[in-house]
Amino acid sequence: MIKRRLVGGILLLVLALFELFLFITYCVEYLAYGQLSDAVFMSKYLIFMIWSIVLGIIYIATCKRRPVKWQEITLECISPALLLFTYSSLVAYLPAYNLFRLVAFLLIVFQCLGLPGKNGFKDHPFVVKDQGHDSQSIEKLTKLKELLDSGAITQEEFDQEKEKIWK
């Protein structure tokens, strides 16, 4: 089990749900005072919260599996893109969003906590494709072995041909 990913997923999920609660509270307050434009503006922020919830669930669900590199790179690319989309205008909009900024910073930290390093996690490296050998190469190798056993080729010739077949 990848404990760092599990902890990151749980923290991410809990904090994103807390942030969703804050979001709903602010939107209800804005709508109560007739500030529809502010409520619509805040709805852009909802995308990042939903992504954080989904990512927390993904981290929790995949904490027992070895990571696949292309999937992890995809997750690493989506988060910053959504962050830029969401916070590009939020940060400059009102100083009253300091709590949202703090929670967003923590969400980013927890997202990074669940991501693998360069080679995967310490005890769970990235999944690599098996170098499966087709039936033709196995057949050729079997024939080569028969030729070696019968004395028709030397061990050096066998090794050279074997290298060619496995490449």
Side-chain angles (χ1 to χ4, degrees), residues 7-158:
V7 169
I10 291 170
L11 292 173
L12 191 60
L13 192 58
V14 168
L15 193 60
L17 290 172
F18 171 72
E19 192 171 29
L20 184 62
F21 172 74
L22 284 177
F23 168 79
I24 291 169
T25 304
Y26 272 80
C27 283
V28 167
E29 184 179 321
Y30 287 144
L31 291 174
Y33 291 113
Q35 297 171 322
L36 185 60
S37 62
D38 289 338
V40 170
F41 175 77
M42 288 292 289
S43 66
K44 183 177 168 184
Y45 188 61
L46 183 63
I47 295 169
F48 189 70
M49 283 183 282
I50 291 172
W51 170 248
S52 297
I53 291 169
V54 168
L55 192 59
I57 292 169
I58 289 172
Y59 283 177
I60 292 168
T62 60
C63 70
K64 293 184 181 182
R65 289 190 292 201
R66 287 178 49 197
V68 178
K69 193 166 196 163
W70 71 268
Q71 291 172 345
E72 298 302 322
I73 290 172
T74 303
L75 294 178
E76 289 175 25
C77 292
I78 291 173
S79 291
L82 286 177
L83 183 68
L84 287 174
F85 171 74
T86 303
Y87 291 102
S88 59
S89 55
L90 180 66
V91 172
Y93 187 67
L94 286 175
Y97 293 114
N98 286 333
L99 183 59
F100 280 103
R101 288 186 205 151
L102 174 65
V103 172
F105 174 75
L106 290 174
L107 283 174
I108 294 166
V109 169
F110 297 154
Q111 286 179 10
C112 293
L113 182 66
L115 291 174
K118 180 181 176 184
N119 298 319
F121 294 101
K122 183 178 178 181
D123 297 331
H124 292 75
F126 284 122
V127 173
V128 293
K129 291 184 179 179
D130 292 337
Q131 293 182 346
H133 305 294
D134 58 354
S135 60
Q136 284 182 335
S137 59
I138 293 174
E139 250 180 65
K140 287 179 185 178
L141 200 58
T142 306
K143 288 180 184 176
L144 275 175
K145 179 66 173 156
E146 289 173 5
L147 289 172
L148 177 66
D149 292 341
S150 68
I153 60 172
T154 65
Q155 182 67 39
E156 289 177 10
E157 293 171 329
F158 174 78

